Amino acid sequence: MVGIVAYGAYVPYNRMDRKRIKEALGIPAAPGEKAVAGFDEDSVSMAAMAALDCINGIKPGEIDAVYLATTSTPYKEKQSATTIAMAIDAGSNVRTADFTNSLRAGSTAILAAIDAAKAGAKSVLVTTADCRMGAPQGALEQVLGDGAAAFVIGSDGVVANVVDTYSVSKEFIDNWRDNNDTFIRPWEERFTVAEGYNKIVMEAVKGIAKKTGLTPGDFAKIILYSLNPRHQMALAAAMGFQPAQIQDSLYMTVGSAGTANAPMMLAGALEEAKPGDKLLFVTYGDGSDAIIFEVTEAISSFKPVRGLKKHIESKASTMTYGTYLKLRNLVTIDKSRQVERLSPYVPAMFRNYKQNLSLYGTKCKVCGTPQYPRQRVCVNCQAKDQMEDYRFAGKKGKIATYTLDFLAPSDVPPTVLGAIDFEGGGRMICEISDCDPAALEIGMEVEMSFRRLYKVGSFSTYFWKARPIR
Amino acid sequence: MASKGIKDKVAIIGMGCTKFGELWDKSPADMLIDSAYEAIADAGIEPKDIDAYWYGTMATNISGLSVSIPLKSQYKPVSRLENMCATGSEAFRNACYAVASGAYDIAMAVGVEKLKDSGISGLDIRGILSGNDGADINITAPAGFSFIAPAYFKKYGLDPKQGKEVLARIAWKNHKNGALNPKAQFRREVPMENIMKSPMIAAPLGIMDCSGVADGSAAAIIVRAEDAKKFRSDPVYVKALTCITGPGHSGMYQDYDFTTNKETCYAAIDAYQQAGVTNPREQISMAEVHDCFTPTELILYEDLQFSERGKGWVDAMNGFFDLDGKLPVNPDGGLKSFGHPIGASGLRMLYEMYKQLQGKADKRQLENPKLGLTHNLGGLPWQSVAFVSIVGKELD
């Protein structure tokens, strides 16, 4: 049987209490908080982090395909799934694809992975992330949040079998962005919910119920895409589900992360699922996909590295609205006395992808010293060209020393920097992200985290930073 | 040891140094002409007597033409070189070797840097420093050197407040000295409290833990030691010259603990061996060291063997390195009071040693100094170039 072999999630460390919007803009605010991607995060980096959370115990080299589903890629032309494949070190013999432009892209990618697995692919990694913006003072600004989820679909060690699927496609406009829009344009909600969300989802759910003969009572959970839990709960109730069956929409803790919203909820449901549970997974956007999963005995033998719940719990809720505006480039910052970073040289990026995206250093075959950055002559014994590849990603480290750089150009100073000593040897001097500067100390344990390092010129560049273990 | 040195083979017979600071009305050529002609006049020679030039600058102009055109040197060799913060000193070292080899009779080393025109704090050297592969680390020089502070404090049991006080004491001393120097950029004593409360730049370093940004130029004229007395009665002899350039080991290997600068340690060993110095704490009369940031000067006390390991801070607090201490460090006010025009700084340090040895340091004059040491540190604590020179007033 084909199904989910592994699952994982990622939620940015920083959250903004919705009260901050009220304070800043003088408008009523909804309860709860929203997860906000850091200055060094985007959908690609978050999807890569979810992938690393997911492939716990799975060899990256055994992954046949890497998919990314999102409506917020850094490029219109240039794939992002390749970046994620590099971050998890999947090797080059891997099929990659971006599924974009629809909030349903997450389930589209999962369905494509299911098809690939049925056709013999051993394991297909599906990642999904979103980082979308509603304009300040609008309803979407409050309800949206950022996050990611990832799944490995395959046929060995399945933790949740695919029972059946049913898809509906509809030409329908509710929220949209054209090629130049920064913010989502919403149509009037009363129309879009009544004629779009309610009817289209209903069609998919009725369709799969009819196809399988299953009724609401047969499901442990319905995992239903939610922009606003009020509409989600009402729709689920109208379809015959009890409140206890409805998987938490993440509204209070994360916000709705677009393409990744229902997949994140699915990851959350799997964390709590018991063998035999049937899960009805329903997405929405230009139609609706419904997938029924049945949880297997193997569910207890897989755990993500951290998973959704722990990611939600690990947070800093101190973000102000001013910081939020800066992170989203919604205020112009005085950079008149800063030296603008040079746009990178593509051949230099090309030469160093293995180092910078997959975090490979080298290890001397003569003296065994791991070293970063990659060296040809050993830093310890000076042997020439006796190196083998050595991957630092996934290695724990300790802070040897650190500083807070208030002078380095940054929209959100200070830039936190440290010297990181890795277990097993090797040292790296790099940025430390997601930390409380006051809590930093020599000896603190850190882990490496994949980040969008710079957005410069028209390039988004990616690299790794240390962060306190979440 | 393969480093034999050129002890007592060459001498300085003339030096010049501009005032350092925000020299809005001076071009790099103006500064160069001012320091070069001061050195020429001091040596009592004519411009045409100079056989070859070594020009040190990090990022102010390229090529020897930046010297030959302003000075109108008449078809003589001019080499332009760069070695980060040791640039000015490196111009001097190479000029000394040229003279010692017998290739030239009279050489000039001159360093210039114009930092203030750009309107930014520091240098615009984008694309030079990095591979520009999109993954360059976003780190400034003060941040790199502030790595030393928490590591040193923890290793030697200083709490953050105590540590901050030690650093402030170093800045306080240098400003106190600089207040006596008409060529310094900053000529005011600064109370300890103001130093400790100054705005944060790279925690725990405040702005008063950092050297300033300045324009400036300095120059030296070098001849063979045996010829020196033909030019003046009080030449200054070169006892040791070294510039140790590290393999980056400290940034990659865990045995380095950020409480030292290995390149400086090796440079000190090499220089003392060349000069025949066996007890630097006793034998070195005074030193100009690279106080780019206060933690740098702190570890240099130990790396240059002025203090025992872990005791540099004690010596600093006890005034050992004050102008009236046993081993005055940065008697001219240091980078802290002068600012740091990269290409000029090393020669500016030498200028103070030269004047002190000649008894011409005015209010800062030390009592009968015999040996002076200059030191530069370029790069970051874990990957650097470290220059040390030792100069003296007598031939051994």
Side-chain angles (χ1 to χ4, degrees):
Chain A
M1 281 286 270
V2 162
I4 296 169
V5 171
Y7 59 90
Y10 180 78
V11 182
Y13 181 68
N14 291 303
R15 316 293 156 81
M16 182 170 69
D17 193 311
R18 293 188 174 102
K19 279 185 219 143
R20 302 285 96 81
I21 298 173
K22 181 182 175 182
E23 287 164 9
L25 303 178
I27 56 169
E33 54 190 20
K34 57 182 270 171
V36 181
F39 75 99
D40 54 1
E41 294 185 299
D42 66 2
S43 290
V44 177
S45 73
M46 291 193 294
M49 288 307 293
L52 292 163
D53 189 56
C54 167
I55 58 167
N56 195 13
I58 295 170
K59 290 198 180 87
E62 289 173 3
I63 290 167
D64 298 311
V66 176
Y67 298 160
L68 168 66
T70 179
T71 67
S72 45
T73 53
Y75 299 105
K76 285 200 179 74
E77 179 170 340
K78 198 264 167 244
Q79 197 182 65
S80 292
T82 48
T83 309
I84 294 164
M86 286 297 291
I88 66 162
D89 192 31
S92 57
N93 182 22
V94 63
R95 188 179 291 184
T96 54
D98 289 354
F99 293 73
T100 63
N101 292 351
S102 172
L103 293 188
R104 195 162 47 108
S107 53
T108 311
I110 291 171
L111 288 169
I114 290 169
D115 290 344
K118 283 181 176 167
K122 270 189 68 185
S123 42
V124 179
L125 174 67
V126 176
T127 67
T128 175
D130 245 331
C131 185
R132 296 149 71 227
M133 248 198 302
Q137 205 156 305
L140 285 172
E141 179 183 48
Q142 299 202 13
V143 301
L144 297 181
D146 306 326
F151 303 90
V152 172
I153 308 292
S155 45
D156 279 346
V158 170
V159 300
N161 285 316
V162 177
V163 176
D164 215 333
T165 70
Y166 190 90
S167 292
V168 171
S169 284
K170 291 278 181 190
E171 179 67 7
F172 189 83
I173 291 179
D174 47 10
N175 296 324
W176 74 101
R177 277 177 283 152
D178 73 13
N179 277 339
N180 302 312
D181 283 335
T182 303
F183 304 113
I184 299 162
R185 298 175 185 271
W187 197 264
E188 195 224 349
E189 192 184 64
R190 294 194 61 77
F191 165 73
T192 59
V193 171
E195 290 299 317
Y197 184 60
N198 286 350
K199 287 192 177 172
I200 295 170
V201 166
M202 186 84 83
E203 185 180 338
V205 170
K206 278 186 174 166
I208 202 162
K210 191 175 171 195
K211 197 175 168 194
T212 58
L214 294 169
T215 62
D218 294 324
F219 295 101
K221 290 282 182 189
I222 177 170
I223 294 132
L224 173 58
Y225 165 78
S226 166
L227 180 62
N228 182 322
R230 191 161 53 90
H231 301 313
Q232 182 221 30
M233 300 285 282
L235 174 57
M239 295 190 297
F241 292 91
Q242 299 299 314
Q245 287 175 284
I246 305 167
Q247 181 67 25
D248 172 41
S249 68
L250 307 176
Y251 180 80
M252 293 298 285
T253 50
V254 178
S256 183
T259 307
N261 169 253
M264 290 169 77
M265 291 162 62
L266 177 58
L270 287 167
E271 285 174 24
E272 317 254 288
K274 298 185 299 295
D277 280 358
K278 285 193 180 62
L279 308 175
L280 174 58
F281 173 65
V282 190
T283 60
Y284 171 72
D286 312 289
S288 174
D289 294 322
I291 307 174
I292 296 171
F293 294 101
E294 183 169 1
V295 177
T296 73
E297 295 290 340
I299 192 76
S300 59
S301 58
F302 174 81
K303 290 277 174 288
V305 175
R306 196 154 286 125
L308 181 73
K309 197 170 167 223
K310 281 191 191 163
H311 269 113
I312 289 173
E313 286 165 358
S314 160
K315 63 173 182 174
S317 298
T318 49
M319 182 178 289
T320 63
Y321 191 72
T323 300
Y324 170 77
L325 290 179
K326 288 200 286 182
L327 293 179
R328 290 292 169 271
N329 280 320
L330 298 177
V331 283
T332 304
I333 293 169
D334 177 12
K335 296 181 181 175
S336 54
R337 299 269 54 84
Q338 280 183 15
V339 179
E340 219 175 297
R341 185 166 290 280
L342 279 185
S343 189
Y345 301 146
V346 170
M349 290 168 76
F350 159 80
R351 282 193 296 275
N352 290 343
Y353 282 144
K354 184 169 190 166
Q355 171 179 289
N356 296 339
L357 299 183
S358 304
L359 202 62
Y360 270 103
T362 52
K363 185 176 176 180
C364 178
K365 287 188 276 190
V366 177
C367 73
T369 303
Q371 34 212 293
Y372 187 94
R374 296 169 69 79
Q375 301 295 313
R376 284 187 61 194
V377 176
C378 177
V379 73
N380 183 52
C381 75
Q382 293 90 51
K384 175 179 169 283
D385 288 331
Q386 297 292 316
M387 292 292 176
E388 58 190 14
D389 288 336
Y390 186 84
R391 190 163 194 246
F392 284 95
K395 300 269 188 301
K396 280 190 182 133
K398 283 188 175 164
I399 295 177
T401 186
Y402 62 94
T403 188
L404 315 177
D405 192 342
F406 289 88
L407 198 62
S410 166
D411 290 355
V412 281
T415 300
V416 184
L417 296 149
I420 310 302
D421 288 349
F422 291 98
E423 63 181 6
R427 166 176 285 177
M428 184 174 172
I429 290 162
C430 63
E431 280 187 51
I432 304 174
S433 205
D434 293 349
C435 65
D436 168 12
L440 285 173
E441 57 181 0
I442 292 171
M444 180 187 239
E445 284 210 328
V446 293
E447 60 190 6
M448 298 310 288
S449 167
F450 189 73
R451 298 283 163 154
R452 200 275 314 278
L453 191 66
Y454 302 120
K455 181 129 179 47
V456 53
S458 59
F459 293 112
S460 290
T461 75
Y462 297 87
F463 190 53
W464 297 75
K465 295 183 182 179
R467 74 166 183 212
I469 290 174
R470 280 181 78 170
Chain B
M1 190 132 177
S3 168
K4 297 184 178 65
I6 54 165
K7 184 184 178 189
D8 289 338
K9 288 185 179 160
V10 302
I12 308 167
I13 55 156
M15 286 203 76
C17 184
T18 65
K19 182 175 166 36
F20 281 25
E22 293 171 335
L23 308 183
W24 307 122
D25 58 344
K26 299 268 188 190
S27 69
D30 289 331
M31 296 190 288
L32 186 133
I33 290 167
D34 290 348
S35 69
Y37 272 80
E38 185 192 335
I40 288 165
D42 180 47
I45 60 172
E46 297 291 321
K48 65 175 171 49
D49 297 332
I50 299 167
D51 301 313
Y53 299 77
W54 273 261
Y55 169 50
T57 189
M58 184 153 169
T60 303
N61 296 330
I62 56 168
S63 97
L65 290 168
S66 318
V67 170
S68 61
I69 292 173
L71 295 184
K72 306 298 177 299
S73 61
Q74 294 298 302
Y75 306 96
K76 303 283 177 66
V78 186
S79 298
R80 187 266 198 206
L81 63 78
E82 177 281 320
N83 214 359
M84 287 204 277
C85 299
T87 294
S89 291
E90 282 285 80
F92 177 73
R93 186 169 70 104
N94 284 276
C96 287
Y97 292 158
V99 172
S101 76
Y104 303 106
D105 293 331
I106 304 181
M108 171 180 277
V110 58
V112 175
E113 209 77 50
K114 188 76 185 166
L115 291 180
K116 294 300 302 185
D117 278 8
S118 71
I120 54 155
S121 293
L123 285 166
D124 181 4
I125 43 174
R126 294 172 297 176
I128 299 172
L129 266 187
S130 67
N132 214 22
D133 64 353
D136 304 322
I137 188 168
N138 191 26
I139 190 170
T140 62
F145 283 92
S146 77
F147 270 15
I148 294 167
Y152 187 96
F153 298 168
K154 187 178 164 88
K155 185 170 181 179
Y156 298 116
L158 299 170
D159 66 39
K161 192 172 170 289
Q162 250 181 317
K164 185 91 179 148
E165 199 179 339
V166 169
L167 300 181
R169 182 65 172 70
I170 292 167
W172 173 85
K173 165 189 68 83
N174 290 349
H175 277 300
K176 191 166 191 284
N177 296 351
L180 302 174
N181 195 331
K183 295 207 170 187
Q185 179 180 22
F186 305 111
R187 295 201 56 206
R188 259 187 328 124
E189 291 190 32
V190 185
M192 283 286 285
E193 192 185 300
N194 294 15
I195 296 169
M196 290 179 72
K197 283 198 316 206
S198 67
M200 211 51 94
I201 291 289
L205 307 190
I207 194 159
M208 290 305 294
D209 287 292
C210 306
S211 64
V213 180
D215 305 326
S217 176
I221 292 168
I222 301 127
V223 300
R224 280 184 296 279
E226 67 254 35
D227 299 335
K229 291 268 165 116
K230 294 179 201 160
F231 295 92
R232 68 184 313 139
S233 61
D234 53 358
V236 166
Y237 298 99
V238 174
K239 304 288 181 182
L241 290 170
T242 187
C243 188
I244 298 297
T245 308
H249 182 270
S250 301
M252 289 185 255
Y253 205 78
Q254 296 184 7
D255 65 351
Y256 172 73
D257 68 1
F258 295 91
T259 64
T260 176
N261 173 251
K262 285 196 175 185
E263 287 84 351
T264 297
C265 295
Y266 284 110
I269 291 165
D270 185 16
Y272 294 144
Q273 185 266 335
Q274 288 180 26
V277 170
T278 51
N279 185 348
R281 189 177 167 97
E282 297 297 328
Q283 289 172 267
I284 300 293
S285 318
M286 57 188 175
E288 286 286 326
V289 307
H290 203 81
D291 59 322
C292 51
F293 305 98
T294 49
T296 322
E297 181 165 328
L298 173 60
I299 60 166
L300 293 176
Y301 297 148
E302 301 173 17
D303 292 344
L304 293 168
Q305 303 172 29
F306 298 163
S307 299
E308 281 175 42
R309 276 283 155 222
K311 295 283 188 259
W313 71 274
V314 179
D315 284 338
M317 294 308 284
N318 289 341
F320 189 80
F321 304 113
D322 291 359
L323 204 56
D324 57 0
K326 285 264 291 175
L327 201 176
V329 170
N330 293 330
D332 73 352
L335 297 164
K336 196 76 200 68
S337 303
F338 270 81
H340 184 20
I342 318 290
S345 285
L347 287 158
R348 181 270 301 163
M349 295 172 168
L350 205 58
Y351 183 80
E352 176 72 3
M353 297 294 93
Y354 175 80
K355 293 290 181 189
Q356 288 278 1
L357 289 168
Q358 292 176 339
K360 296 178 182 169
D362 198 23
K363 289 176 184 164
R364 304 178 313 284
Q365 185 60 50
L366 305 170
E367 200 187 320
N368 195 24
K370 297 266 191 318
L371 281 183
L373 177 147
T374 73
H375 163 270
N376 293 111
L377 177 53
L380 294 162
W382 57 91
Q383 48 183 43
S384 59
V385 299
F387 173 92
V388 172
S389 83
I390 299 170
V391 292
K393 67 197 263 184
E394 280 149 24
L395 286 170
D396 278 351

